Amino acid sequence: MTTLVIAEHDNASLKGSTLNTITAAIQCGGDVHVLVAGHNAAAVAQAASQIAGVSKVLLAEAAHFADGLAENIAEQVLAISAAYSHILAPATAYGKNILPRVAAKLDVSQISEITKVDAPDTFERPIYAGNAIATVQSADAIKVITVRSTGFDAAVNGGSAAVENIAAVADSGKSVFVSREVAKSDRPELTAAKVIVSGGRGMGSGEAFKLLEPLADKLGAAMGASRAAVDAGYVPNDWQVGQTGKIVAPQLYIAVGISGAIQHLAGMKDSKTIVAINKDPEAPIFSVADYGIVGDLFEIVPQLIAELG
């Protein structure tokens, strides 16, 4: 039994979600191989080889892998899939774009966003916006799985796996990379941040979100928001935390003016410590909060900033 992990990377370094996926792969049992499909990505393969628990790294180099086009990466995975009992990828936009194509071509059912491995053929995944956990057992010869990174600790260095160069598949010609717009910020990336300060509709306006910036600065935090705040145009949509946004599990999550709709809770309730500030004592956010402050956020936040100062 051998598990293949599809590495998410930018041709220079591994994305953090790959480390969580490797942990899930280790828990499946057997050897763990990592596929690095990219262009001039030798440094990524070398980094993957140093992760504890990885027994082999497969490096497929080609210009048409440079931008991670799902059509090409999926074909590379299919070319080597017969050797594996499990194929895993992070449950990010990258993994969610590739693995459904692989599952369809292999004629197997994909198991999405697992948070626990019970056995090599049995996995747990959240359903109904995280209000229930489904235990799924698969009889497929090859298990195709996306991994929710918040469910697993990141794998650590300490390995010395061999790096094997493999033949790259030809360009499928089905898609062409045109451009990419990447949001730039001096703050930590939302899904990787250890501390997140999020605002909701209770902030009242986009201008009011500036009230949270000094708090985020003092804590070295990323800024987030509820869907209601994003839909109201207060902040960009890449700030959205929730079922239809980004799934996060930082060490500290501060929810300011967020009532706690079920979709938002699904995206942040695995945070280690949750602090909620809301004027409504009946707000659902308090059901998951470790610490709750009932009151006017426009009074409480400045007081918090002053105390931290």
Side-chain angles (χ1 to χ4, degrees):
M1 186 168 64
T2 307
T3 299
L4 178 68
V5 173
I6 304 170
E8 182 174 2
H9 61 89
D10 59 3
N11 295 305
S13 60
L14 282 171
K15 299 292 187 182
S17 56
T18 302
L19 303 179
N20 306 93
T21 305
I22 289 172
T23 297
I26 293 169
Q27 293 178 13
C28 290
D31 292 337
V32 175
H33 294 180
V34 176
L35 171 65
V36 176
H39 184 50
N40 296 326
V44 178
Q46 187 58 37
S49 72
Q50 296 172 6
I51 299 171
V54 174
S55 53
K56 183 187 288 187
V57 177
L58 306 176
L59 175 60
E61 290 265 26
H64 52 269
F65 290 150
D67 298 299
L69 293 176
E71 292 82 0
N72 291 333
I73 305 294
E75 289 300 326
Q76 185 65 57
V77 174
L78 289 165
I80 60 175
S81 62
Y84 298 100
S85 58
H86 299 69
I87 299 175
L88 274 60
T92 58
Y94 180 83
K96 289 177 179 180
N97 204 7
I98 295 167
L99 279 199
R101 303 168 193 273
V102 172
K105 287 287 187 74
L106 293 176
D107 195 24
V108 300
S109 298
Q110 177 178 303
I111 304 171
S112 299
E113 301 210 29
I114 68 165
T115 54
K116 186 178 179 183
V117 178
D118 290 336
D121 66 346
T122 308
F123 313 91
E124 294 183 12
R125 60 181 298 268
I127 59 173
Y128 304 133
N131 281 301
I133 300 296
T135 300
V136 181
Q137 186 173 40
S138 172
D140 288 327
I142 301 177
K143 280 73 172 170
V144 176
I145 302 166
T146 60
V147 176
R148 181 174 285 193
S149 61
T150 57
F152 299 88
D153 293 332
V156 297
N157 283 349
S160 57
V163 177
E164 178 184 328
N165 288 281
I166 63 172
V169 297
D171 187 348
S172 69
K174 294 177 181 176
S175 60
V176 177
F177 177 77
V178 177
S179 66
R180 177 181 288 119
E181 292 185 20
V182 180
K184 293 181 174 62
S185 174
D186 294 332
R187 301 189 186 280
E189 204 280 319
L190 193 56
T191 55
K194 289 183 170 57
V195 182
I196 295 173
V197 176
S198 271
R201 184 160 44 195
M203 298 301 299
S205 69
E207 185 69 20
F209 266 78
K210 292 181 180 178
L211 176 70
L212 303 181
E213 292 179 1
L215 179 59
D217 290 340
K218 288 182 180 294
L219 297 172
M223 295 275 286
S226 66
R227 178 171 179 172
V230 171
D231 286 350
Y234 297 166
V235 293
N237 59 12
D238 57 308
W239 286 27
Q240 185 178 326
V241 172
Q243 186 180 19
T244 54
K246 294 177 180 176
I247 308 295
V248 300
Q251 296 296 315
L252 174 62
Y253 188 90
I254 302 177
V256 184
I258 295 175
S259 62
I262 186 172
Q263 293 85 355
H264 186 79
L265 299 185
M268 47 64 73
K269 67 181 181 181
D270 289 331
S271 303
K272 303 300 181 289
T273 302
I274 300 171
V275 177
I277 302 171
N278 200 291
K279 65 182 180 181
D280 178 8
E282 302 298 322
I285 191 72
F286 290 122
S287 68
V288 299
D290 298 285
Y291 301 95
I293 305 173
V294 178
D296 186 345
L297 68 89
F298 295 101
E299 296 176 2
I300 292 168
V301 171
Q303 291 173 18
L304 274 179
I305 294 168
E307 289 292 330
L308 289 169

